[in-house]
Amino acid sequence: MTDMQPVEAVVAPLAALLDGVLTGMRRDVPGELGTAVTIAHPAPERGGGELQILAATGLGNVLTPVTTGRLWGPSLMAAGGEEPIVTADLWQDARWPHLTPDAVRAHLSPQHHEAVSRSLGVAALPGMWDDRGVVVLSVYLDRPADHDTLAVLTRHERLVTSAITIADVATRNATEANQVLDALASRAVIDQAKGAIMTVRRCDADEAWAVLRRASQEFNIKLRELARALIDHVGHAPGQQPDAADREANAVSRAAALVWLALTDEASQDPLDPGRVPMKILEPENS
């Protein structure tokens, strides 16, 4: 049970708080059938990337254990891609063709078969646990999930992630605790950058996150470093990112400036300029 020790150490102080958060979320999501909080960390001594369940309610107790293993589904995909997953129909989504009601029922006792038949939409939202760990908040519905569902998860995920991070600090030594708190501070910078993008693009948080993520991939820069540089560029003042010494300042700053140019003055970009930001970072996800 050594691999599970970090999770077990966190569960006890978190149980009551997570139950309260999930209860509040269930009230806020019409058609909710169940919820789940799962975590994953790549370190071998902390689970080796396996998605582990911290808390679950209703159908979350039934479907989450099945869809975080061989029959992977939205929660595992959200953890792996570190991006929100929303589906109108869990059983007809091309992203996991292997996941069918019959396949799931084969892993469940007959008493749960009816509950599986009632399920339809699912939303799963990842958050930062520490510098590498991921928290996923999921909800199962009797109707299609949509962006409104994701908006509710976004509000509650902040509470879940902060609670897990703080509880985890209690299990670490001083150096490790500082690393966890630095990761939490990084999240604040990412939220600031998302807010700036939402303002100039007049878009929602999901689109702002997508723009940041695509820019990060295009420039091969860590998302939190790009977010910090973007805030520096916009405000001409240091952001709240604690790991500034780890950045290659010139390259990151230039990337941030190019991204901001694309966001605020797309038409002025010279298509022959080899240093311009690829415009595909501004394209919708499904384009």
Side-chain angles (χ1 to χ4, degrees), residues 46-80:
R46 307 185 71 188
E50 181 182 354
L51 201 61
Q52 303 173 36
I53 302 170
L54 276 188
T57 65
L59 194 60
N61 282 305
V62 177
L63 284 182
T64 307
V66 178
T67 59
T68 55
R70 185 173 59 183
L71 292 178
W72 55 269
S75 297
L76 199 58
M77 180 172 283

